[in-house]
Amino acid sequence: MSRMRKPPQPPRSQAGPAAWRRDRLGVAVRAAQQCGDVWQLAPGVYVAATAGPCETVLRRTTYEYETTPGTFLPAKRPDGSVPGPTERAHGHAARMRALRPKAVAARIGDIAPGAARFAADWPLGQDLSVLPRAQRVLAGIGSRYLFSGDAERLQAAGARLAETREQIIRSWPLPPWVPTPARRFLARQQAVFDAELRAVIDRRRTTGRLGDDLLGQMLRPSSQYGLLPDAAIIDSLTGLIVATAETPTRAVGWILLTLARHPRVADRVAAEAGALPADPHAVTGAHLDRLRYTQAVVREVLRLYPPNWLLARRATAPAELGGYPVEPDTTVLVCPYTAHRDPAQHPDPLQLRPERWLDESGSLVVPGVFLPFSTGPRACEGTAMALAELTLIAAETARRYRLSEPPGPVPSHRIATFGALTPVGLRLRATPRS
């Protein structure tokens, strides 16, 4: 195979820099239709557009590909060094003790009250801007899941981190080393969060009351790695406190918009949610398991509107993708949006069909590629928690209200930060169900 063979490239008038800046999503859809599995956006920049290439890149991340540099600065030990690969592996294992599906199901009673409050406190008789409120609620749920009794102390600092990170993402594609005002401000906000979290860690270690939350799991030594250093804990949780609200907020927006636009779907979700306990603290993993249609709706919305519609990877070794050679340092953009809308994976891909996620007995299945939280070694650790939150928010909202869109402009998903699919300008009105 010739090393010079390159993926096809759409006409510059349709996929050049100006067109890409103006309408990334539209360019990606048209190019996938014209060029197939893999196409070239620019020299050294390939796009994986269908299931096979997308999954190949994501599953080979850490082996042939790496993620792009993160927004946050690595936490440092007292000697100035940063956590290494072994400590990062220990940190991942410690986090997953609290984030695996069984662990999330066991703590569903800590998640359900926030979902119920989101619905119960919806102001009636007005058109509500959904996303800011969803973000506050999800940030509260996430903080309590991570830090339980210390959540209030850390949530405000985490919110400032999230807000500043959003400003930096909007400045893409400036390289991460460019010292913009937003990045300097982020460094100061990160230092504040680090100090707050370090004080909580010191108090828990000193008293011996480590806690049963995610932080408590990270403070416990493991038989394989021993005690995790403070810097590795802080390094992990700085990004995680932002992630618990960022992606789920966009997903909540798309889910609630879908319930407003599809009343019959909303009615069926409401009927299913009627079996939830009146006291949200009494909700268990078994109750969540019974919300099968609601879970199918959530998955179908995430298929149609993956909150992270474009993921960036960089090749670190020679590889092959869709029959084309990939040289080291090539950027590969993985596009779940087009992969999810591939008719080879999902028949009638543009139609909302929650039933595709259910078999004849009503059990959940995975009918095709599903990448809203990525996959492989760098898949989202909080997938189980996010799906639980989204399912409960959809159920609690639908059983209380009928949602509708107010007259005026429809939400736009094209004016979005790089890689983020957001229903910009989403406003909804809630009418109580009789």
Side-chain angles (χ1 to χ4, degrees):
M1 180 173 60
S2 171
R3 300 297 290 177
M4 300 299 294
R5 188 164 178 254
K6 304 293 184 184
Q9 187 169 12
R12 186 176 178 83
S13 61
Q14 298 179 22
W20 181 249
R21 285 193 299 269
R22 185 173 59 252
D23 183 12
R24 296 186 185 111
L25 196 62
V27 168
V29 171
R30 291 191 296 271
Q33 293 170 345
Q34 295 172 3
C35 302
D37 296 347
V38 181
W39 57 278
Q40 186 176 186
L41 175 62
V45 182
Y46 298 169
V47 180
T50 57
C54 285
E55 291 189 305
T56 294
V57 174
L58 296 176
R59 295 188 187 282
R60 296 302 299 171
T61 298
T62 72
Y63 306 107
E64 294 170 349
Y65 301 90
E66 66 179 6
T67 57
T68 54
T71 309
F72 299 110
L73 299 172
K76 294 183 179 180
R77 300 186 187 89
D79 63 3
S81 61
V82 299
T86 299
E87 290 169 333
R88 287 195 293 272
H90 177 190
H92 171 75
R95 292 190 299 277
M96 291 310 297
R97 287 200 292 269
L99 290 172
R100 288 191 178 92
K102 286 186 177 180
V104 172
R107 291 190 61 192
I108 206 69
D110 296 333
I111 296 173
R117 280 193 300 273
F118 174 84
D121 295 342
W122 193 302
L124 302 179
Q126 58 183 281
D127 300 330
L128 179 69
S129 183
V130 173
L131 296 186
R133 187 163 174 272
Q135 187 168 33
R136 289 193 297 272
V137 170
L138 287 163
I141 294 173
S143 296
R144 285 189 292 274
Y145 196 90
L146 299 183
F147 306 118
S148 56
D150 294 305
E152 187 174 349
R153 176 174 184 173
L154 295 164
Q155 184 176 343
R160 289 192 292 270
L161 280 176
E163 182 180 353
T164 311
R165 181 180 183 276
E166 182 72 13
Q167 296 174 12
I168 291 174
I169 293 174
R170 289 183 183 278
S171 70
W172 192 92
L174 291 177
W177 47 264
V178 176
T180 63
R183 286 197 174 108
R184 290 194 293 268
F185 183 67
L186 178 67
R188 294 195 294 271
Q189 295 300 325
Q190 189 174 340
V192 171
F193 178 78
D194 288 2
E196 293 281 2
L197 180 53
R198 197 177 297 275
V200 171
I201 291 172
D202 289 345
R203 191 199 74 243
R204 291 195 186 190
R205 289 198 193 278
T206 300
T207 62
R209 294 194 291 270
L210 302 182
D212 295 326
D213 51 20
L214 187 141
L215 175 58
Q217 294 292 341
M218 300 195 76
L219 291 172
R220 288 173 168 78
S222 74
S223 57
Q224 183 176 1
Y225 297 105
L227 194 65
L228 190 62
D230 291 359
I233 297 174
I234 295 169
D235 197 54
S236 295
L237 296 182
T238 301
L240 193 56
I241 193 172
V242 173
T244 55
E246 189 177 69
T247 299
T249 293
R250 299 195 292 271
V252 164
W254 292 116
I255 290 167
L256 297 184
L257 179 61
T258 298
L259 295 180
R261 290 180 172 176
H262 297 269
R264 291 184 180 179
V265 170
D267 289 346
R268 188 167 170 183
V269 171
E272 189 175 65
L276 288 173
D279 178 5
H281 294 88
V283 174
T284 66
H287 293 112
L288 181 66
D289 287 343
R290 296 188 194 111
L291 298 176
R292 291 180 178 177
Y293 182 76
T294 307
Q295 292 183 56
V297 171
V298 168
R299 290 171 181 269
E300 180 70 344
V301 174
L302 293 175
R303 180 188 70 81
L304 286 167
Y305 305 104
N308 296 316
W309 76 277
L310 200 65
L311 308 170
R313 298 290 187 266
R314 187 184 72 86
T316 56
E320 183 178 348
L321 189 64
Y324 300 101
V326 178
E327 300 292 343
D329 290 327
T330 299
T331 295
V332 179
L333 303 178
V334 176
C335 190
Y337 187 90
T338 53
H340 285 174
R341 293 169 180 244
D342 181 358
Q345 291 288 318
H346 300 283
D348 298 323
L350 303 184
Q351 301 301 313
L352 180 80
R353 286 178 47 199
E355 294 78 9
R356 74 174 83 234
W357 299 91
L358 301 170
D359 63 15
E360 293 182 358
S361 68
S363 298
L364 284 168
V365 297
V366 181
V369 64
F370 188 58
L371 304 172
F373 303 104
S374 186
T375 190
R378 296 304 300 270
C380 174
E381 296 175 350
T383 297
M385 180 180 172
L387 289 173
E389 290 174 317
L390 300 177
T391 300
L392 289 170
I393 286 176
E396 293 285 7
T397 303
R399 80 166 171 174
R400 285 174 170 83
Y401 310 114
R402 299 183 188 277
L403 301 180
S404 60
E405 293 182 84
V410 298
S412 168
H413 58 269
R414 297 179 185 273
I415 311 171
T417 55
F418 176 81
L421 192 63
T422 308
V424 177
L426 175 63
R427 300 179 69 82
L428 295 174
R429 175 169 291 217
T431 303
R433 288 182 180 272
S434 57

PDB file of all heavy atoms in Angstrom, residues 102 121 123 130 160 273 353 420:
ATOM      1  N   LYS A 102     -22.661  -0.438  39.186  1.00  0.00           N
ATOM      2  CA  LYS A 102     -23.171  -0.956  40.457  1.00  0.00           C
ATOM      3  C   LYS A 102     -23.000   0.061  41.575  1.00  0.00           C
ATOM      4  O   LYS A 102     -23.864   0.196  42.448  1.00  0.00           O
ATOM      5  CB  LYS A 102     -22.474  -2.276  40.818  1.00  0.00           C
ATOM      6  CG  LYS A 102     -22.927  -3.466  39.979  1.00  0.00           C
ATOM      7  CD  LYS A 102     -22.301  -4.756  40.487  1.00  0.00           C
ATOM      8  CE  LYS A 102     -22.811  -5.959  39.691  1.00  0.00           C
ATOM      9  NZ  LYS A 102     -22.207  -7.229  40.178  1.00  0.00           N
ATOM     10  N   ASP A 121     -39.133  22.457  41.154  1.00  0.00           N
ATOM     11  CA  ASP A 121     -38.910  23.900  41.297  1.00  0.00           C
ATOM     12  C   ASP A 121     -39.021  24.650  39.977  1.00  0.00           C
ATOM     13  O   ASP A 121     -38.640  25.819  39.903  1.00  0.00           O
ATOM     14  CB  ASP A 121     -37.528  24.155  41.908  1.00  0.00           C
ATOM     15  CG  ASP A 121     -37.411  23.624  43.326  1.00  0.00           C
ATOM     16  OD1 ASP A 121     -38.461  23.368  43.947  1.00  0.00           O
ATOM     17  OD2 ASP A 121     -36.275  23.446  43.808  1.00  0.00           O
ATOM     18  N   PRO A 123     -40.243  27.055  37.479  1.00  0.00           N
ATOM     19  CA  PRO A 123     -41.185  28.174  37.595  1.00  0.00           C
ATOM     20  C   PRO A 123     -42.256  28.107  36.516  1.00  0.00           C
ATOM     21  O   PRO A 123     -41.948  28.039  35.325  1.00  0.00           O
ATOM     22  CB  PRO A 123     -40.292  29.412  37.435  1.00  0.00           C
ATOM     23  CG  PRO A 123     -39.101  28.923  36.689  1.00  0.00           C
ATOM     24  CD  PRO A 123     -38.898  27.491  37.081  1.00  0.00           C
ATOM     25  N   VAL A 130     -33.411  27.038  29.893  1.00  0.00           N
ATOM     26  CA  VAL A 130     -33.222  25.731  30.528  1.00  0.00           C
ATOM     27  C   VAL A 130     -31.777  25.475  30.938  1.00  0.00           C
ATOM     28  O   VAL A 130     -31.510  24.984  32.035  1.00  0.00           O
ATOM     29  CB  VAL A 130     -33.704  24.618  29.577  1.00  0.00           C
ATOM     30  CG1 VAL A 130     -33.367  23.241  30.135  1.00  0.00           C
ATOM     31  CG2 VAL A 130     -35.201  24.747  29.344  1.00  0.00           C
ATOM     32  N   ARG A 160     -16.655  28.205  39.150  1.00  0.00           N
ATOM     33  CA  ARG A 160     -15.792  29.210  38.523  1.00  0.00           C
ATOM     34  C   ARG A 160     -14.825  28.563  37.545  1.00  0.00           C
ATOM     35  O   ARG A 160     -14.523  29.122  36.481  1.00  0.00           O
ATOM     36  CB  ARG A 160     -15.046  29.989  39.595  1.00  0.00           C
ATOM     37  CG  ARG A 160     -15.940  30.934  40.396  1.00  0.00           C
ATOM     38  CD  ARG A 160     -15.134  31.889  41.241  1.00  0.00           C
ATOM     39  NE  ARG A 160     -14.441  31.213  42.319  1.00  0.00           N
ATOM     40  CZ  ARG A 160     -14.947  31.006  43.532  1.00  0.00           C
ATOM     41  NH1 ARG A 160     -16.171  31.421  43.815  1.00  0.00           N
ATOM     42  NH2 ARG A 160     -14.248  30.394  44.476  1.00  0.00           N
ATOM     43  N   ALA A 273     -42.860   6.940  34.682  1.00  0.00           N
ATOM     44  CA  ALA A 273     -42.328   7.594  35.871  1.00  0.00           C
ATOM     45  C   ALA A 273     -43.306   7.579  37.030  1.00  0.00           C
ATOM     46  O   ALA A 273     -42.907   7.826  38.180  1.00  0.00           O
ATOM     47  CB  ALA A 273     -41.947   9.034  35.539  1.00  0.00           C
ATOM     48  N   ARG A 353     -36.683   7.246  17.303  1.00  0.00           N
ATOM     49  CA  ARG A 353     -37.304   5.935  17.518  1.00  0.00           C
ATOM     50  C   ARG A 353     -36.716   5.304  18.770  1.00  0.00           C
ATOM     51  O   ARG A 353     -35.794   4.486  18.702  1.00  0.00           O
ATOM     52  CB  ARG A 353     -37.080   5.025  16.315  1.00  0.00           C
ATOM     53  CG  ARG A 353     -37.929   5.368  15.080  1.00  0.00           C
ATOM     54  CD  ARG A 353     -37.602   4.448  13.926  1.00  0.00           C
ATOM     55  NE  ARG A 353     -37.552   3.055  14.346  1.00  0.00           N
ATOM     56  CZ  ARG A 353     -36.958   2.079  13.661  1.00  0.00           C
ATOM     57  NH1 ARG A 353     -36.365   2.346  12.504  1.00  0.00           N
ATOM     58  NH2 ARG A 353     -36.963   0.848  14.100  1.00  0.00           N
ATOM     59  N   ALA A 420     -18.651  20.743  20.918  1.00  0.00           N
ATOM     60  CA  ALA A 420     -19.806  20.718  21.816  1.00  0.00           C
ATOM     61  C   ALA A 420     -21.075  20.984  21.028  1.00  0.00           C
ATOM     62  O   ALA A 420     -21.172  21.962  20.306  1.00  0.00           O
ATOM     63  CB  ALA A 420     -19.644  21.768  22.916  1.00  0.00           C
TER      64      ALA A 420
END
